[in-house]
Amino acid sequence: MNYRICAVIPCYRHVKTIEKIISGLKRHHLTLIIVDDGNSDHDKETLLAIANRYQDIYLIHHRVNLGKGTAVISGMRKALDLNFSHVLQIDADGQHDLNDLKTILNLSRENPEALISGAPLYDINAPRSRIIGRQITNFFVHVECLSRTIADAMIGYRVYPVQSALKAIAKMPKKPNMTFDIEIMVRMYWQRVKILFFKTKIAYPENGYSNFKAQDNLKISLMHTKLCITMLLSLPQILYRKFFS
Ligand SMILES: Nc1nc2c(ncn2[C@@H]2O[C@H](COP(=O)(O)OP(=O)(O)OP(=O)(O)O)[C@@H](O)[C@H]2O)c(=O)[nH]1
Ligand SMILES: [Mg+2]
């Protein structure tokens, strides 16, 4: 398949911030797939009005809120239907730095087999609890991978090769939410997909809205337990690969 990239933006309660991201992506002439993840009727209409102002935007609607991971998966499946080989994933809340688009797109084009991901540089407004949560997750990810290759597993500013991403998704729960970004990266690492990182600023605007809930930490902990057990069960295989191939 020829290299063709589009962007997928999952959107839930971030209709106010999404247009800036759309126009930033459009400067790079990308086709966009926006996933309306069960927003209110009012927000659905606003999204439609925004999408109509640009060319090459596909809007996918979830009737009810299904969660971030499920929204990204819907977008990725649509990208495959449209014959895109790669998907740029970016949040709708404006936390990701659009100035790094050139870097991420170039890295992907030069390394089409690789998963390209941001590694976060936080601004001073970043909540301490989120930074600590990330450190804990990254610790577990290093255990699950028996490697410190993964610099950050939580940021949703990435480019996926679609085929290998869908292979990892096939092994994941049917409706992942905030666990998605972490689990897919670990599973792609297990699939021996090359993963490359670039440093990128993460903004926490003062009036920013976050969907991240306390219960997401619980879901993330359960996911790490499952991934650790999976890793332990395949330990002989992993060690063999690590040292003999
Ligand atoms: N959390 C969440 N986000 C969703 C959902 N559906 C779509 N999204 C989108 O997924 C992206 C990430 O959501 P955020 O609420 O910013 O969560 P986050 O970036 O992990 O958390 P913060 O660091 O606190 O902002 C945004 O583009 C959301 O609009 C959902 O059901 N839950
Ligand atoms: Mg966010």
Side-chain angles (χ1 to χ4, degrees):
M1 195 189 259
N2 288 338
Y3 185 96
R4 285 184 74 225
I5 186 164
C6 67
V8 167
I9 319 174
C11 181
Y12 185 56
R13 297 189 174 167
H14 284 136
V15 170
K16 282 197 189 115
T17 41
I18 201 169
E19 186 154 16
K20 192 168 160 220
I21 293 122
I22 294 174
S23 67
L25 293 166
K26 277 298 172 194
R27 262 176 245 132
H28 292 265
H29 311 290
L30 290 164
T31 295
L32 310 186
I33 299 170
I34 298 172
V35 187
D36 153 30
D37 189 23
N39 288 286
S40 65
D41 289 347
H42 176 267
D43 282 1
K44 276 184 199 300
E45 278 166 30
T46 313
L47 266 180
L48 191 61
I50 297 172
N52 283 339
R53 289 204 276 277
Y54 297 84
Q55 287 197 325
D56 296 326
I57 295 193
Y58 295 85
L59 201 48
I60 298 177
H61 296 286
H62 288 174
R63 217 160 29 82
V64 291
N65 177 241
L66 296 176
K68 178 188 177 177
T70 314
V72 175
I73 294 169
S74 294
M76 225 178 267
R77 296 223 162 99
K78 178 74 183 173
L80 189 70
D81 286 348
L82 295 168
N83 282 322
F84 285 99
S85 61
H86 288 71
V87 157
L88 166 74
Q89 177 192 335
I90 185 167
D91 284 355
D93 61 357
Q95 285 186 292
H96 298 153
D97 191 348
L98 294 165
N99 294 318
D100 288 332
L101 277 174
K102 208 167 160 199
T103 305
I104 188 169
L105 292 172
N106 284 345
L107 266 172
S108 170
R109 201 169 273 281
E110 286 158 14
N111 302 276
E113 75 289 11
L115 163 58
I116 315 292
S117 173
L121 299 167
Y122 291 107
D123 76 8
I124 49 162
N125 296 325
R128 221 174 125 62
S129 58
R130 303 287 278 115
I131 295 181
I132 294 170
R134 268 170 201 259
Q135 285 167 344
I136 296 172
T137 264
N138 289 338
F139 167 79
F140 278 105
V141 164
H142 294 163
V143 173
E144 287 145 16
C145 295
L146 296 176
S147 158
R148 293 170 63 89
T149 308
I150 293 183
D152 182 90
M154 288 188 91
I155 181 170
Y157 192 18
R158 302 171 169 183
V159 174
Y160 297 99
V162 176
Q163 298 281 7
S164 32
L166 288 171
K167 192 170 155 196
I169 287 165
K171 304 221 155 138
M172 289 169 58
K174 286 285 163 277
K175 287 186 181 153
N177 191 341
M178 287 310 210
T179 53
F180 174 81
D181 291 338
I182 307 166
E183 184 164 354
I184 192 170
M185 188 175 271
V186 170
R187 290 196 178 275
M188 289 180 79
Y189 178 85
W190 287 349
Q191 278 170 215
R192 311 181 88 194
V193 173
K194 182 158 105 182
I195 307 180
L196 300 174
F197 292 90
F198 65 98
K199 293 227 163 77
T200 186
K201 288 189 203 147
I202 304 292
Y204 274 85
E206 294 210 349
N207 298 322
Y209 176 83
S210 172
N211 291 300
F212 199 91
K213 304 274 178 302
Q215 71 236 37
D216 286 315
N217 282 322
L218 179 66
K219 289 183 188 158
I220 288 174
S221 307
L222 290 173
M223 180 210 58
H224 282 309
T225 309
K226 184 190 70 184
L227 290 182
C228 282
I229 294 170
T230 311
M231 180 274 287
L232 287 172
L233 292 175
S234 23
L235 196 58
Q237 224 177 320
I238 298 170
L239 290 175
Y240 181 84
R241 273 197 199 154
K242 202 171 167 79
F243 295 111
F244 298 108
S245 59

